[in-house]
Amino acid sequence: MTPQELAEAAAAAMWSDDSASQRLNMTLEQVAPGAARLSMTVTEAMSNGHGNCHGGYIFTLADSTFAFACNSYNQRAVAQHCSVSYLIPVHIGDRLTATAREVSRHGRSGIYDVRITNQDGAQVAEFRGHSRTVKGTHLPVDPSI
């Protein structure tokens, strides 16, 4: 299996159990080794007291994208630390796209940056996630290899 095929298979296995991303109607657009892209349309149910998108939903989109990127090697990885900076308001009906890229991966630790943009290409937030691998894989590993 090529690294790209492995990333896609691991993503498919994760997606099948990812109720949070599915129930928020996220779309897994792309996955590659150390990278992922997801999108989501902001609904009225996601609005805060100011009539904008609640930051928690923006964070959730970024976190899901981060998860698919750092789990793309068929090693289970979890978030160790995450931070987000919100740059401009997000409105009901906006289509958000989160794009994750691997910055560093050594041993059990990784760092990933996620850029969140709206349908006009304006950057609405920047997220940085630190991952840590744990025991287990998403797909069975052939012990004869």
Side-chain angles (χ1 to χ4, degrees):
M1 194 177 287
T2 68
Q4 180 62 36
E5 291 168 337
L6 184 63
E8 290 172 1
M14 276 185 57
W15 184 260
S16 68
D17 292 330
D18 189 345
S19 295
S21 297
Q22 290 180 36
R23 289 182 184 209
L24 290 173
N25 292 316
M26 291 182 193
T27 302
L28 176 59
E29 296 182 354
Q30 179 185 19
V31 67
R37 186 174 65 235
L38 275 73
S39 61
M40 172 183 81
T41 299
V42 177
T43 66
E44 187 175 348
M46 298 174 184
S47 65
N48 61 19
H50 299 290
N52 295 318
C53 181
H54 187 289
Y57 290 100
I58 300 167
F59 184 96
T60 301
L61 174 63
D63 187 47
S64 289
T65 307
F66 161 56
F68 281 97
C70 68
N71 280 273
S72 61
Y73 299 100
N74 194 34
Q75 268 189 297
R76 290 191 182 269
V78 296
Q80 182 177 29
H81 171 78
C82 301
S83 63
V84 65
S85 296
Y86 302 102
L87 305 173
I88 62 172
V90 172
H91 307 286
I92 296 168
D94 281 354
R95 181 76 177 169
L96 300 179
T97 300
T99 305
R101 69 174 184 83
E102 186 175 273
V103 174
S104 174
R105 183 172 167 259
H106 297 285
R108 295 179 53 209
S109 299
I111 299 174
Y112 296 79
D113 284 343
V114 183
R115 180 182 174 99
I116 304 94
T117 58
N118 66 16
Q119 66 281 354
D120 298 323
Q123 185 174 5
V124 302
E126 183 72 26
F127 172 104
R128 175 163 272 196
H130 297 246
S131 67
R132 188 79 170 165
T133 58
V134 295
K135 289 183 181 178
T137 59
H138 300 285
L139 307 166
V141 176
D142 185 349
S144 65
I145 299 178

